[in-house]
């Protein structure tokens, strides 16, 4: 259908109130001649005027859409960050000085004093009870590798209850709120005044299905006004000759700006403002794919708040010298994440000076962080300093010469992204802390398709069921099984981290089982 005919049909349908998209917002209005001229001048000045090549072929609605997209992009800025990303500053002469974090900045749940752990836990619950704690979830990824086009948080890992990752995490927030209420003696409606707001960052492809999933599942028992869904930004995809790629004749090819886009999104989506209005002082941020994550973990919140740091991070022990994980350490006296590819074999295999059974550099990054609100409030002062990283990709595009669409078989351009940890080096060491946790208790990422055998739905399911079994056996209960599956799923609604299960003492449970309430 030609653009002229399409416009005529759409106009007629609108006059008859028969528009097939009447429930959707109207398309952006086509710009005036002066508006178009001004925008074109910006792109001509930046050497990116090719984005208007097919302007005259577009319908009025498509012109409005493309104008809106191009008007939101600063082509000069895109040129600048592309140059910086492609030409990063040279490494420090003589190489970076890499060291473990100082002992003053670290703790471990494995060997900390029980009194300290209890003190941090109680402090965290007190802060939750005072409505000073919020949670930020990074949930922009799709389940493509898992064989699903839905947001990864919607994925069912195969638990007996068939709960999704989103549901498990939402119920843990409910559980943390109830634990805090119990600590301060609030019951019934009064307990409902304790709120941990959940800020869910999505990407363009995942926002609508995420919102629908939350609505369809009644926000997993949380109040709608305390679940705030927002969207990370995007950046244009760039060709190998540093030109903005067009996905279609009327659309720029874009990609999410990485998990480091979180910081800008917290400002532009007014999340930091909302936190301020609520009196939030402490923020827990994590990735959606970790089925074991302790959301709003009181111990972690209490530890971080007690140290009065601006950022803290959870780590697990690196499995062995060859595990491909980023490590939390000091780089030139500042906290940083050092990628495994940056560490030579000698450093990777170095042993701890005090315990030769441990690696010297073992603090594996699991993207599980604490932020003080004051640090998030300062984002506008430093966000522009975050570097962009290049990923060379096969990017579908429209040929500017022929107008034909192509799906390349080899990388034809770059996507630029920021990493959430790139702001760590902005801090002095005394404003950063690290807490080591047990991998089997807190880290089981979902990365790969079923049957892979590592970081897949089966390992996620196994780790939750084994955790539940361990909690139940700790009460004095017995778990039996006739098949391979010998674990137990314990609902977060009844136990956040193994507490409140004494009613099972002396009982025998046949696995696989689900503990959803006290009377089972």
């Amino acid at each position: 259908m030609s653009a002229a005919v399409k416009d005529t049909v759409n106009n007629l349908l609108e006059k008859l109130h028969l528009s097939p998209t009447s429930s959707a917002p109207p398309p952006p209005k086509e710009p005036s001649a002066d508006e178009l001229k001004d925008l074109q001048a910006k792109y001509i000045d930046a050497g990116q005027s090719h984005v208007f090549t097919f302007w005259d072929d577009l319908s009025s609605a498509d012109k409005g859409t493309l104008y809106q997209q191009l008007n939101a992009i600063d082509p000069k800025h895109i040129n600048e960050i592309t140059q910086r990303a492609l030409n990063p500053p040279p490494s420090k002469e003589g190489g970076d000085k890499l060291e473990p974090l100082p002992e003053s900045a670290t703790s471990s749940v494995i060997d900390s004093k029980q009194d300290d752990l209890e003190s941090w836990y109680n402090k965290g619950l007190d802060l939750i009870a005072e409505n000073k704690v919020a949670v930020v979830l990074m949930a922009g990824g799709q389940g493509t590798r898992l064989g699903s086009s839905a947001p990864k948080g919607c994925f069912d890992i195969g638990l007996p209850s068939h709960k999704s990752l989103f549901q498990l995490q939402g119920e843990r927030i409910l559980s943390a709120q109830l634990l805090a209420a119990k600590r301060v003696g609030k019951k019934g409606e009064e307990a409902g005044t304790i709120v941990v707001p959940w800020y869910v960052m999505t990407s363009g492809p995942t926002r609508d299905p995420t919102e629908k999933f939350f609505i369809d599942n009644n926000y997993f028992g949380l109040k709608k006004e305390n679940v705030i869904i927002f969207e990370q930004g995007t950046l244009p995809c760039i060709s190998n000759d540093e030109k903005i790629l067009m996905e279609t004749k009327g659309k720029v090819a874009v990609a999410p700006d990485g998990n480091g886009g979180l910081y800008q999104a917290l400002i532009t989506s007014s999340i930091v403002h909302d936190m301020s209005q609520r009196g939030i002082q402490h923020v827990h941020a994590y990735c959606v794919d970790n089925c074991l994550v302790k959301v709003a973990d009181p111990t972690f919140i209490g530890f971080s708040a007690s140290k009065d740091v601006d950022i803290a991070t959870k780590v697990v022990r690196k499995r062995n010298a060859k595990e491909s994980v980023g490590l939390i350490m000091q780089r030139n006296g500042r906290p940083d994440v050092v990628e495994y590819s940056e560490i030579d074999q000698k450093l990777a295999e170095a042993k701890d000076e005090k315990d030769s059974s441990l690696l010297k550099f073992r603090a594996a990054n699991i993207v599980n962080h604490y932020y003080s609100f004051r640090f998030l409030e300062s984002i506008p002062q430093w966000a522009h300093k975050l570097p962009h990283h290049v990923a060379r990709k096969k990017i579908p595009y429209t040929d500017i010469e022929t107008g034909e669409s192509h799906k390349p078989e080899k990388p034809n351009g770059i996507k630029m992204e920021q990493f959430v940890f790139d702001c760590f080096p902005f801090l002095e060491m005394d404003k950063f802390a690290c807490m080591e946790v047990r991998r089997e208790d807190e880290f089981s990422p979902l990365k790969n398709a079923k049957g892979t055998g590592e970081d897949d739905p089966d390992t996620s399911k196994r780790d939750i069921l084994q955790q539940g079994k361990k909690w139940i056996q700790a009460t004095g209960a017995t778990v039996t099984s006739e098949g391979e599956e010998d674990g137990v799923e314990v609902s977060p609604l009844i136990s956040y981290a193994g507490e409140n299960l004494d009613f099972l003492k002396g009982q025998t449970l046949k696995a696989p089982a689900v503990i959803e309430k006290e009377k089972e």
Side-chain angles (χ1 to χ4, degrees):
M1 187 184 291
S2 72
V5 173
K6 187 176 178 182
D7 284 344
T8 301
V9 171
N10 285 341
N11 288 337
L12 180 59
L13 287 170
E14 286 173 11
K15 288 178 181 178
L16 295 172
H17 303 288
L18 295 172
S19 172
T21 57
S22 57
S23 61
K29 186 179 177 182
E30 181 179 347
S32 67
D34 286 342
E35 288 173 329
L36 177 61
K37 184 178 178 181
D38 289 345
L39 185 62
Q40 285 176 324
K42 284 172 59 178
Y43 280 83
I44 291 170
D45 185 51
Q48 301 282 6
S49 60
H50 63 281
V51 297
F52 293 98
T53 298
F54 304 108
W55 183 265
D56 292 337
D57 298 343
L58 303 177
S59 68
S60 178
D62 288 343
K63 286 178 179 177
T65 300
L66 179 59
Y67 176 83
Q68 184 183 62
Q69 186 185 29
L70 292 173
N71 196 44
I73 297 169
D74 179 349
K76 185 178 179 182
H77 175 66
I78 297 302
N79 287 347
E80 290 171 353
I81 64 173
T82 300
Q83 284 301 311
R84 288 202 297 268
L86 291 172
N87 303 285
S91 299
K92 184 178 179 181
E93 190 173 338
D96 292 326
K97 184 179 181 182
L98 302 179
E99 301 171 285
L101 295 177
E103 288 188 11
S104 59
T106 64
S107 78
S108 172
V109 300
I110 298 170
D111 54 23
S112 287
K113 295 177 181 177
Q114 189 61 33
D115 287 349
D116 288 339
L117 293 172
E118 289 179 5
S119 174
W120 294 331
Y121 178 75
N122 290 331
K123 183 175 180 63
L125 287 181
D126 289 340
L127 291 170
I128 291 171
E130 292 167 10
N131 289 341
K132 291 182 178 179
V133 175
V135 169
V136 172
L137 165 60
M138 290 171 273
Q142 291 172 284
T144 310
R145 285 197 210 169
L146 310 174
S148 168
S149 61
K152 194 180 279 189
C154 303
F155 197 79
D156 173 0
I157 59 175
L159 291 172
S161 68
H162 294 288
K163 289 179 180 179
S164 64
L165 293 171
F166 279 142
Q167 183 167 355
L168 291 171
Q169 293 161 22
E171 289 182 354
R172 286 177 191 147
I173 292 175
L174 277 170
S175 188
Q177 291 174 170
L178 290 173
L179 285 171
K182 183 178 180 181
R183 171 162 170 80
V184 296
K186 290 188 175 182
K187 298 179 180 180
E189 289 186 8
E190 196 178 22
T193 62
I194 294 176
V195 173
V196 176
W198 196 12
Y199 299 96
V200 181
M201 185 177 78
T202 63
S203 61
T206 63
R207 179 165 189 163
D208 288 347
T210 296
E211 288 183 332
K212 184 177 186 302
F213 194 75
F214 273 72
I215 292 169
D216 291 348
N217 288 278
N218 197 29
Y219 295 88
F220 312 110
L222 297 164
K223 291 182 179 178
K224 178 181 177 180
E225 61 267 26
N226 298 322
V227 180
I228 301 91
I229 297 173
F230 65 109
E231 193 174 323
Q232 72 183 105
T234 60
L235 288 169
C237 300
I238 307 297
S239 70
N240 288 333
D241 55 359
E242 299 177 25
K243 297 294 185 182
I244 293 173
L245 284 168
M246 299 299 291
E247 181 179 336
T248 66
K249 292 181 178 181
K251 183 181 180 183
V252 172
V254 297
D257 54 6
N259 58 19
L262 167 70
Y263 303 114
Q264 197 63 47
L266 289 175
I267 297 297
T268 57
S269 298
S270 299
I271 301 301
V272 168
H273 175 73
D274 187 78
M275 290 178 179
S276 176
Q277 296 295 105
R278 292 172 180 263
I280 299 299
Q281 295 296 320
H282 310 278
V283 180
H284 179 214
Y286 68 97
C287 286
V288 72
D289 62 2
N290 180 11
C291 68
L292 292 179
V293 62
K294 288 184 176 179
V295 188
D297 177 11
T299 303
F300 186 44
I301 297 292
F303 162 75
S304 306
S306 296
K307 284 190 165 292
D308 191 30
V309 294
D310 284 330
I311 297 178
T313 184
K314 283 190 178 184
V315 298
V316 296
R317 286 183 182 174
K318 190 177 178 182
R319 285 194 180 107
N320 54 58
K322 294 183 178 180
E323 185 180 10
S324 300
V325 291
L327 297 174
I328 306 286
M329 60 175 73
Q330 289 186 87
R331 190 201 300 261
N332 304 321
R334 297 272 183 160
D336 206 349
V337 173
V338 178
E339 296 295 347
Y340 64 92
S341 57
E342 299 179 72
I343 302 173
D344 62 29
Q345 184 177 348
K346 184 178 179 182
L347 274 183
E349 295 178 349
K351 298 296 185 179
D352 187 283
E353 293 176 0
K354 293 184 177 180
D355 185 347
S356 61
S357 69
L358 300 175
L359 292 170
K360 180 178 182 180
F361 299 102
R362 60 182 180 274
N365 176 37
I366 60 173
V367 196
N368 192 324
H369 308 312
Y370 161 92
Y371 299 93
S372 69
F373 176 74
R374 67 180 176 237
F375 181 75
L376 296 182
E377 206 172 23
S378 74
I379 289 172
Q381 299 170 28
W382 50 259
H384 64 284
K385 298 179 185 178
L386 291 174
H388 287 82
H389 305 271
V390 167
R392 297 197 176 273
K393 298 286 186 177
K394 294 179 284 188
I395 305 167
Y397 71 102
T398 293
D399 191 305
I400 295 300
E401 301 294 331
T402 66
E404 295 178 353
S405 297
H406 293 277
K407 286 190 174 181
E409 296 181 357
K410 60 182 181 180
N412 63 312
I414 63 170
K415 295 180 179 181
M416 292 183 289
E417 59 183 358
Q418 295 177 312
F419 297 154
V420 74
F421 55 74
D422 280 333
C423 64
F424 290 6
F426 297 165
L427 296 179
E428 298 286 350
M429 205 64 247
D430 63 351
K431 286 299 178 184
F432 185 86
C434 177
M435 172 176 274
E436 181 187 68
V437 297
R438 291 183 178 87
R439 188 185 291 250
E440 64 270 23
D441 288 343
E442 299 201 36
F443 186 55
S444 181
L446 178 61
K447 305 285 186 187
N448 304 314
K450 186 177 175 68
T452 308
E454 183 176 341
D455 297 342
D456 69 1
D458 291 333
T459 59
S460 293
K461 173 185 174 182
R462 176 203 68 202
D463 291 344
I464 284 188
L465 295 181
Q466 288 302 310
Q467 182 183 67
K469 177 182 176 181
K470 182 173 71 173
W471 290 349
I472 286 167
Q473 289 176 329
T475 69
T478 302
V479 178
T480 63
S481 173
E482 294 178 358
E484 291 184 4
E485 292 191 1
D486 63 347
V488 179
E489 179 184 354
V490 177
S491 169
L493 295 176
I494 196 167
S495 183
Y496 179 87
E499 75 292 328
N500 298 333
L501 297 174
D502 289 342
F503 67 93
L504 293 170
K505 185 175 181 179
Q507 293 190 31
T508 298
L509 286 81
K510 185 177 179 181
V514 183
I515 308 299
E516 192 72 51
K517 53 184 183 291
E518 287 202 18
K519 292 182 180 179
E520 287 293 331

